Amino acid sequence: MKTFFKFLAITSSVFVYSQQTQQVNQGIGYEFFPTKSVTSNGKTLKYEDIIGTPYADTDFKMAKLADNYEEVPVRYNSYKDEVEFKKGENIQVVPKQKEFSRITIKKPSQTIVNLETNDNLQGYFFELVPGKIALYKKEKTVFKDEVPAINSYAASKPAEFIKQNPVYYIKTENNFIKKPKNQKEIIEAFPSLKDQINTYFKSNKVKFNNEEDLIKLVNHLNQQS
């Protein structure tokens, strides 16, 4: 009899958990649907009519949106700064709520975080280095309108999506270093690590527009802090 009641309790808890998981998954994104078009010169252009793509990766990748949520396929729209997810045949947009501020993609392993940087690039970033001192990358795509031909001898230029150079942010204790530029800027942000930073730069040539160099630098700062 004790065994029966123990089994019943376990079965009930599993049922309740699955019900909770199902309900929250039904709720996310139910009123957020992506708009796959751009208004250009008074007419609407579909994404497929525009050269290039607004997506960091056009393929959907399995990801975990938050605890107690099932895994769903996602992709990042770097033009609209939106994370889309697929539920059945429907494509919806993840709400920019605190509980969905950290989205973990399984393969390839990536983490997308929603950051309040208090500037024009605030929103979703790819996390390159986690930790007390973190490194983030902002991917941005802009839309360039079509340019009609000025005469019969000139060719018109079609509308296109243009991927911008990534912008890197280093997270300090209280702020961000946007587009880190030089050694002095790093020392000013981490004065207690001045000696370690000077030693590192003497032994390592750092290009601040090189992602691999920045990853190595931030990993080193975390090891020293």
Side-chain angles (χ1 to χ4, degrees), residues 120-136:
N120 63 320
L121 294 181
Q122 177 169 299
Y124 288 115
F125 290 75
F126 286 90
E127 183 180 70
L128 302 180
V129 177
K132 181 180 177 182
I133 302 170
L135 177 65
Y136 302 102

Side-chain angles (χ1 to χ4, degrees), residues 29 34 46 94 113 142 167 213 219:
K46 295 181 180 179
V94 178
V113 294
V142 298
V167 179
D213 285 359
N219 277 326

Side-chain angles (χ1 to χ4, degrees), residues 170-194:
I170 296 177
K171 176 71 172 69
T172 67
E173 186 174 351
N174 301 310
N175 212 335
F176 293 92
I177 305 174
K178 180 180 180 180
K179 296 181 181 178
K181 296 178 285 296
N182 53 51
Q183 178 179 345
K184 179 182 177 183
E185 192 173 25
I186 303 299
I187 292 173
E188 288 176 350
F190 306 101
S192 63
L193 300 177
K194 181 179 178 180

Side-chain angles (χ1 to χ4, degrees), residues 128-130 133 214-224:
L128 302 180
V129 177
I133 302 170
L214 288 174
I215 290 174
K216 290 178 181 178
L217 171 62
V218 175
N219 277 326
H220 179 75
L221 292 174
N222 274 310
Q223 292 168 6
Q224 303 302 315

Side-chain angles (χ1 to χ4, degrees), residues 68-95:
N68 300 330
Y69 283 72
E70 65 179 353
E71 293 180 354
V72 290
V74 304
R75 65 181 178 184
Y76 175 57
N77 186 325
S78 57
Y79 167 64
K80 298 191 71 178
D81 192 41
E82 293 177 342
V83 175
E84 299 177 5
F85 73 97
K86 187 181 287 186
K87 185 72 174 174
E89 296 300 317
N90 295 321
I91 296 176
Q92 299 171 310
V93 175
V94 178

Side-chain angles (χ1 to χ4, degrees), residues 54-67:
Y55 297 103
D57 186 337
T58 56
D59 295 330
F60 284 89
K61 308 291 185 183
M62 292 302 296
K64 189 174 184 62
L65 301 182
D67 292 337

